[in-house]
Amino acid sequence: MFSILSALAQRIDLLKQVRRGNTGDVIYKVLAYLFGLALLGIVVAIIWELWVQSAFARQEFGISFLWSTSFDPVQAQFGALQFIQGTLVTAVVAVSLAAPLGIGIAAFLVEIAPRRVNAVVGFLVEMLAAIPSVVYGLWGIFVLAPFLRDYVAPWLTATLGWTPMFSGSFSGYSVFTASLVLTIMILPTAAAITRNVLQAVPKEQREGMLALGATRWEMFSQAVLPYAKGGVIGAMALALGRAAGETMAVTIIIGNARRIFTSMFEQGATIASVIAGNFTDADSGAYVSSLFLLGLILFAMTFTINVLARLLIKATSSGPTG
Amino acid sequence: MSQEGGKAGPQRAGGTSSVTAQTMEVQNLSAYYNKFKAVTDVSMKIEPNKVTALIGPSGCGKSTFIRTLNRMHEIARGGRIEGKVLLDGEDIYDDRVDPVQVRRKIGMVFQKPNPFPTMSVYDNVVAGLKLERRHKKSELDEVVEKMLRQAALWDEVKDKLSANGTDLSGGQQQRLCIARTLALEPQVILLDEPASALDPMSSQKIEDAMQELKERYTIVIVTHNMQQASRSSDYTGFFFIEDMGQPGQLWEFGETSKMFSNPERQETEDYVTGRFG
Amino acid sequence: MRRMTLWRALLAGLVMALVLAGCGGDVAEEGGTPDEADDGGSENGGDGEAAGSITGAGATFPAPLYNEMFSTFAEEEQGIQVNYQSVGSGSGIEQYINNTVEFGGTDAPMTDEELEEVDVETLHVATVGGPVVPTYNLEGVDELNLTHEVVADIFLGNITEWSDEAIAETNPDADLPDEQIQVVHRSDGSGTTFIWVEWLSAVSEEWADSVGSGTDVSWPTGSGGDGNEGVAAQVQQTPGAIGYNELSYAEENDIPHAFLAPDADSEFVQGSLESAETAIEAAEVPEDLRVSVSALNVTDDGAYPVTGLTWLLIRQEMDDLAACRATAEAAWYATHDGQEFAPPNYVPIGGQTLETSEEFIQSMEAEGEACYEG
Ligand SMILES: Nc1ncnc2c1ncn2[C@@H]1O[C@H](COP(=O)(O)OP(=O)(O)OP(=O)(O)O)[C@@H](O)[C@H]1O
Ligand SMILES: [Mg+2]
């Protein structure tokens, strides 16, 4: 609503400028407008497509699709709950691990590392973000999973095996492995953006805190981090979005079991993995339509995550983030 | 203003603090950024309960020098010094001295007001105090009022203590930063062009605040404002740089009255009379 | 029976590019040479001569075989070009229904629902077969004997330990570990799954009732791998795993696979070209040929029951006589002379399956004429 109003206001402004003869400005604005509209158009088109294509599933299964856990192509019964669970659990676990690590890496680079190390490692971190996800998936199978099975899982079983979270045996392909692979995949995103955000904190803020007799750590935690909070939350929201939407690596490593899981050692599936894994082979209208509906749900989830992140930024920082 | 001074005086007398202004002595101090020597061989004595002004053309090393006085210089990349800085007879650069402690004893106010934007006015004032230990709420309340009064800001902000530090005007922000520095009850206060980003009115208020503060503190101030320096300081140091790429030096140092009326060196006279710089 | 999605997208893109390039070439040629000249130059002459080029699309499993046999077909025989695009059974069926290709290729027969979308009768011409074998990962166990019932119970989640008595009974000499069984299945829809679950449905009532059959089912237990390679990777990476793969895939990757028998006293048979061929020969297939041999659970001597077929999907009545003739020729070649290319990765067809396929090809017609000329 607001955007429409402001768009109107800007258009009127634009007309005035044409009259005034600021041609360059006008061209620039029109172009910017077109690109903005194109982006909006693409988003609307995607939602529309998902909506239309999922019509059958929405009618057939109703809103209970959201909390149904059946997924039986033979009986043409489909539900979303196990995939919502898989998506949320893997993404949230990944972000809660990647956030402290990412902030730590960024803090080290910005606050402690010599400038050259910062530049080189910063570049490497950004490179990591560009590695295709299938590579992460394969690394997950051939390196991480055996490592976890031989060293980490036995220890977890011994210490936390009594909790439902780490009960059962660990086969390598699991929600746990997928969450860790996701952690590593989104770590570069989290670290790189956080690094940029921290770097943007004015020198005056750091010096102001140091001059009050703060240690470097106090300076970081009391002045730098609060100042950068909005940006850091934004970085984590982006990372969360990436984790929720990640497909290839998860499909390879999560075990693709279309069931609710109770232990991190069990296999599971995410919305993205089930869509990618089954879309081309889905052999009934109900199946295809259900996958579209899952896509719509994923879209809604990422959208919600971003809105929540924005609200969180607004609520927690009365600071300079605007 | 003398009234306000009268108010602050008794309060302090009845307060908790045991601040004593201290003498600082700089001996043959040179400051570097990596290999680049920014300031060379400065020696001067900074008297307690006096305002010492540092003046000089841009780039001659005033900021660099003043930051060596509370070990803020070494934060800069490649920042290091040679020489000694004595506070009450002890070298603040001694190996056994923790720079963090030095900065608590020697406070600093910067050119650009830099209140912490995520903190309220109240929290800004006590930010430094909260670092050292936990304080009682009543204790903090007292400190906040006292310091804001000393910084001549209390009347303006007493109703918006929970407002954001950055919601104040530029001049108020700068006085908030002064209050924040005072809260640590330092022995010396360093101000690097504290009024240069402010309008004349705000600038005047800071000058006034300084006059009261010198009763309790040793004050060093960098300023480009000659009137301000001549009016409000007791001693003046003139920094000068002979040639581009040369390090800045303390060209002349003395009582302010003499420096502005009858300086020893020609460059000093040219500068204070506004002929260059 | 299909590569990873990524690869497929790439492949599809490549094929598209090739087809487009090919079309461009055709147009140019047509411009230079009138149609009549083309016709006049061909061996058979007349209106109903086999078209120069036909297109098929579908299953990836038989694609290497089709490519090999059809290129030889083009050289040796009528000079008919057959383009086979390996886009997967699902897309193959779709393209066949939409009539954008002369024939489709599939690893799982079309469903009744799908058949209704085609206005004429659809013929399932079987070309070759392939066994699907239970691959496993058990350190030091080179030979594993499982009864049909045990396999079903493992995949149902009824048997969860390798040390289970039912397994030990048929493997007195094997050193079975005290480990959990990790069931691995396909996570994508596939003909391999179809062959496997058709068989499980045939041997286990419980399976038939609770899970059923299709190219994708609701697995009661285990983890899923994407594609044959996904299952193979999981099996190889997970001690105590058991999955199912195409025989050729298991052999290429040296993954051991179990021997099967209806009960502990019968002969245990391992999946191989010979045992699968025996099963196809012996299978009493239904008239429309729309059944996986595995659904019949052939237990004759030396027959390996978990064997599937792959089919060409052909319209019994086609619009264009030339295209129909070319398709019929190609299909006949594929079921006869082309069979020599089947080993070692594919099982040649025989018995009733071959007879029925022959009848199908002979029944093809277009413009009121039979298409296969013998
Ligand atoms: N962080 C730094 N790294 C390297 N060189 C610096 C740094 N800060 C200042 N310098 C150099 O040191 C010299 C002195 O700078 P300084 O900031 O001390 O001057 P100043 O007298 O405060 O000038 P102004 O009146 O403009 O504030 C200048 O040549 C400057 O370029
Ligand atoms: Mg300066």
Side-chain angles (χ1 to χ4, degrees):
Chain A
M1 195 62 208
F2 277 132
S3 61
I4 296 173
L5 284 181
S6 64
L8 262 176
Q10 284 190 21
R11 207 162 305 153
I12 293 165
D13 190 57
L14 210 63
L15 289 176
K16 275 189 204 144
Q17 291 204 354
V18 177
R19 237 173 288 141
R20 271 190 239 121
N22 293 342
T23 334
D25 265 13
V26 171
I27 291 175
Y28 167 75
K29 277 205 175 161
V30 166
L31 274 180
Y33 243 91
L34 285 179
F35 285 127
L37 282 179
L39 203 67
L40 198 73
I42 289 169
V43 172
V44 168
I46 290 173
I47 297 177
W48 177 250
E49 184 72 12
L50 289 173
W51 184 256
V52 169
Q53 297 279 4
S54 64
F56 181 84
R58 279 184 287 116
Q59 268 159 26
E60 182 80 12
F61 307 117
I63 190 74
S64 66
F65 185 80
L66 282 175
W67 53 83
S68 162
T69 59
S70 66
F71 201 89
D72 190 344
V74 180
Q75 306 291 329
Q77 287 300 314
F78 300 99
L81 190 62
Q82 65 271 51
F83 307 110
I84 296 175
Q85 182 205 19
T87 304
L88 281 182
V89 168
T90 51
V92 168
V93 168
V95 168
S96 28
L97 292 176
L101 280 174
I103 295 173
I105 291 173
F108 166 76
L109 290 177
V110 174
E111 307 293 342
I112 298 170
R115 200 190 305 220
R116 208 168 297 157
V117 174
N118 179 4
V120 172
V121 177
F123 175 73
L124 285 179
V125 165
E126 274 163 23
M127 280 266 299
L128 281 181
I131 292 179
S133 59
V134 63
V135 175
Y136 281 102
L138 294 176
W139 176 82
I141 296 184
F142 293 113
V143 182
L144 184 65
F147 173 78
L148 292 178
R149 186 173 53 230
D150 295 343
Y151 299 103
V152 181
W155 178 78
L156 276 174
T157 306
T159 53
L160 291 168
W162 55 273
T163 63
M165 239 173 97
F166 294 104
S167 62
S169 70
F170 177 81
S171 76
Y173 295 83
S174 69
V175 175
F176 183 58
T177 323
S179 303
L180 293 190
V181 168
L182 277 180
T183 305
I184 288 156
M185 289 185 72
I186 62 175
L187 188 56
T189 312
I193 301 180
T194 306
R195 170 172 165 262
N196 291 342
V197 169
L198 294 185
Q199 246 158 1
V201 174
K203 196 177 82 184
E204 288 81 10
Q205 290 291 316
R206 298 167 201 278
E207 294 190 336
M209 193 48 94
L210 283 179
L212 291 179
T215 59
R216 287 213 155 233
W217 163 248
E218 285 166 339
M219 173 199 81
F220 180 73
S221 62
Q222 314 265 316
V224 178
L225 211 48
Y227 190 96
K229 191 161 51 187
V232 174
I233 292 174
M236 296 314 149
L238 209 70
L240 190 66
R242 175 154 192 215
E246 175 50 42
T247 309
M248 204 62 200
V250 174
T251 310
I252 292 176
I253 201 73
I254 198 170
N256 302 305
R258 303 181 291 218
R259 295 182 291 269
I260 290 281
F261 51 89
T262 49
S263 162
M264 293 293 286
F265 287 174
E266 278 174 48
Q267 291 84 37
T270 67
I271 295 179
S273 75
V274 74
I275 293 176
N278 295 282
F279 193 76
T280 46
D281 308 290
D283 54 7
S284 71
Y287 199 161
V288 175
S289 183
S290 297
L291 292 178
F292 271 107
L293 187 49
L294 281 170
L296 192 65
I297 293 171
L298 180 59
F299 195 95
M301 279 169 63
T302 15
F303 185 79
T304 314
I305 288 170
N306 278 301
V307 169
L308 285 181
R310 268 171 187 273
L311 289 180
L312 193 62
I313 293 171
K314 271 227 176 94
T316 55
S317 63
S318 29
T321 40
Chain B
M1 137 185 146
S2 59
Q3 260 176 348
E4 270 177 22
K7 243 187 253 165
Q11 207 171 17
R12 188 188 165 262
T16 53
S17 81
S18 54
V19 183
T20 37
Q22 294 288 356
T23 312
M24 288 191 85
E25 204 173 332
V26 181
Q27 295 175 349
N28 307 99
L29 183 112
S30 299
Y32 298 79
Y33 295 101
N34 293 311
K35 297 218 171 72
F36 174 67
K37 196 176 195 180
V39 174
T40 189
D41 198 27
V42 174
S43 296
M44 72 161 83
K45 197 162 177 205
I46 299 166
E47 297 290 341
N49 298 103
K50 296 278 188 263
V51 174
T52 303
L54 303 178
I55 58 171
S58 184
C60 65
K62 304 179 297 293
S63 295
T64 305
F65 172 72
I66 199 172
R67 289 161 66 90
T68 62
L69 298 184
N70 72 338
R71 299 193 62 169
M72 286 294 283
H73 175 65
E74 63 206 49
I75 290 164
R77 278 185 199 282
R80 63 189 171 85
I81 65 126
E82 284 162 6
K84 280 184 177 171
V85 177
L86 306 180
L87 176 68
D88 194 20
E90 280 185 49
D91 187 2
I92 62 170
Y93 282 97
D94 192 283
D95 284 345
R96 282 160 303 181
V97 174
D98 179 4
V100 168
Q101 292 309 317
V102 170
R103 292 176 203 136
R104 307 197 133 241
K105 281 189 235 161
I106 308 173
M108 179 162 234
V109 176
F110 299 84
Q111 176 170 0
K112 224 172 117 200
N114 59 350
F116 303 120
T118 55
M119 296 183 194
S120 64
V121 169
Y122 185 103
D123 286 335
N124 260 284
V125 177
V126 297
L129 283 183
K130 279 188 172 170
L131 290 176
E132 55 186 5
R133 60 183 175 86
R134 287 190 64 82
H135 293 261
K136 274 195 241 114
K137 175 87 172 79
S138 57
E139 205 179 320
L140 291 181
D141 287 347
E142 206 176 299
V143 170
V144 167
E145 178 170 351
K146 186 168 114 188
M147 298 309 160
L148 286 174
R149 277 189 195 283
Q150 284 188 17
L153 186 61
W154 174 251
D155 293 332
E156 286 162 69
V157 301
K158 63 173 183 249
D159 296 327
K160 32 179 170 174
L161 291 180
S162 56
N164 227 296
T166 38
D167 288 348
L168 304 180
S169 77
Q172 290 172 334
Q173 287 186 25
Q174 192 62 302
R175 278 176 283 149
L176 178 60
C177 292
I178 293 175
R180 168 176 93 182
T181 306
L182 298 179
L184 288 172
E185 306 195 320
Q187 295 158 3
V188 181
I189 300 175
L190 310 173
L191 303 103
D192 188 359
E193 298 186 52
S196 70
L198 306 179
D199 63 290
M201 282 283 285
S202 304
S203 175
Q204 184 61 46
K205 284 198 169 148
I206 288 186
E207 206 176 307
D208 296 346
M210 242 162 46
Q211 284 311 311
E212 290 159 31
L213 294 176
K214 88 176 193 192
E215 291 176 22
R216 284 176 293 278
Y217 304 98
T218 303
I219 294 179
V220 182
I221 178 170
V222 174
T223 180
H224 277 284
N225 184 329
M226 289 310 116
Q227 282 97 34
Q228 197 181 47
S230 65
R231 261 199 320 262
S232 58
S233 72
D234 304 293
Y235 294 91
T236 297
F238 174 58
F239 278 77
F240 189 62
I241 184 168
E242 272 180 299
D243 263 313
M244 283 293 289
Q246 293 282 316
Q249 341 177 1
L250 180 60
W251 202 250
E252 190 172 347
F253 182 75
E255 290 194 13
T256 299
S257 51
K258 176 158 188 299
M259 288 285 284
F260 276 84
S261 57
N262 185 22
E264 308 253 312
R265 300 178 81 158
Q266 183 62 39
E267 289 82 359
T268 313
E269 183 167 355
D270 290 349
Y271 187 79
V272 298
T273 53
R275 246 168 279 167
F276 72 93
Chain C
M1 303 208 171
R2 86 188 174 80
R3 302 277 148 230
M4 281 186 235
T5 319
L6 192 71
W7 290 118
R8 224 163 39 163
L10 267 174
L11 199 71
L14 260 172
V15 170
M16 284 267 283
L18 283 176
V19 168
L20 284 177
C23 286
D26 279 355
V27 171
E29 269 169 39
E30 267 167 24
T33 325
D35 278 358
E36 288 90 328
D38 242 348
D39 281 354
S42 72
E43 272 174 54
N44 296 351
D47 249 350
E49 145 272 4
S53 155
I54 55 172
T55 306
T60 43
F61 163 64
L65 172 70
Y66 289 173
N67 287 337
E68 193 178 2
M69 64 163 69
F70 287 141
S71 74
T72 315
F73 174 61
E75 282 167 23
E76 284 181 6
E77 310 276 324
Q78 278 75 2
I80 302 171
Q81 293 288 336
V82 183
N83 300 316
Y84 182 75
Q85 306 166 5
S86 84
V87 291
S89 295
S91 308
I93 290 175
E94 204 177 302
Q95 292 197 36
Y96 167 76
I97 290 174
N98 295 337
N99 209 359
T100 54
V101 287
E102 270 76 29
F103 65 93
T106 185
D107 298 330
M110 284 169 71
T111 60
D112 293 344
E113 200 182 63
E114 285 165 343
L115 284 177
E116 271 167 33
E117 292 181 56
V118 186
D119 46 6
V120 297
E121 196 195 328
T122 294
L123 307 171
H124 282 69
V125 175
T127 51
V128 284
V132 173
V133 298
T135 45
Y136 64 88
N137 180 345
L138 287 174
E139 179 99 39
V141 179
D142 300 327
E143 199 178 312
L144 183 67
N145 293 327
L146 299 173
T147 65
H148 297 176
E149 197 189 332
V150 165
V151 176
D153 276 336
I154 289 175
F155 275 79
L156 278 165
N158 296 339
I159 294 178
T160 56
E161 304 276 341
W162 282 112
S163 50
D164 197 285
E165 250 176 58
I167 303 175
E169 193 191 328
T170 53
N171 297 282
D173 303 330
D175 185 17
L176 292 166
D178 197 11
E179 249 171 38
Q180 285 239 311
I181 301 178
Q182 304 282 347
V183 171
V184 183
H185 53 77
R186 288 284 287 266
S187 63
D188 51 334
S190 72
T192 314
T193 296
F194 177 75
I195 295 164
W196 185 248
V197 296
E198 282 278 286
W199 178 70
L200 288 176
S201 295
V203 300
S204 160
E205 233 168 86
E206 189 185 344
W207 185 278
D209 292 344
S210 66
V211 184
S213 167
T215 52
D216 188 5
V217 300
S218 179
W219 295 95
T221 186
S223 64
D226 191 46
N228 250 303
E229 54 284 322
V231 171
Q234 289 205 16
V235 170
Q236 285 173 303
Q237 288 290 308
T238 316
I242 183 166
Y244 58 91
N245 283 93
E246 283 159 21
L247 172 71
S248 54
Y249 207 90
E251 306 234 295
E252 265 168 42
N253 292 284
D254 264 333
I255 315 174
H257 50 101
F259 290 69
L260 303 177
D263 52 66
D265 303 324
S266 307
E267 179 206 4
F268 283 86
V269 182
Q270 197 182 30
S272 69
L273 285 190
E274 297 71 42
S275 60
E277 197 170 350
T278 308
I280 294 177
E281 299 260 1
E284 291 175 29
V285 291
E287 271 179 12
D288 61 2
L289 219 50
R290 278 168 58 211
V291 72
S292 165
V293 173
S294 64
L296 307 170
N297 192 28
V298 181
T299 53
D300 296 40
D301 263 1
Y304 179 75
V306 200
T307 299
L309 294 172
T310 187
W311 294 268
L312 300 178
L313 299 169
I314 300 174
R315 290 176 139 73
Q316 188 266 323
E317 195 182 339
M318 291 174 71
D319 299 331
D320 182 60
L321 184 58
C324 183
R325 287 193 165 156
T327 309
E329 292 292 345
W332 190 269
Y333 182 84
T335 46
H336 295 83
D337 291 354
Q339 293 281 310
E340 66 170 283
F341 299 107
N345 292 326
Y346 307 88
V347 182
I349 53 166
Q352 266 187 40
T353 308
L354 177 58
E355 283 163 31
T356 313
S357 294
E358 285 174 345
E359 281 164 27
F360 284 164
I361 299 171
Q362 281 158 349
S363 77
M364 289 171 64
E365 53 185 44
E367 299 173 19
E369 285 187 50
C371 301
Y372 183 68
E373 296 170 317

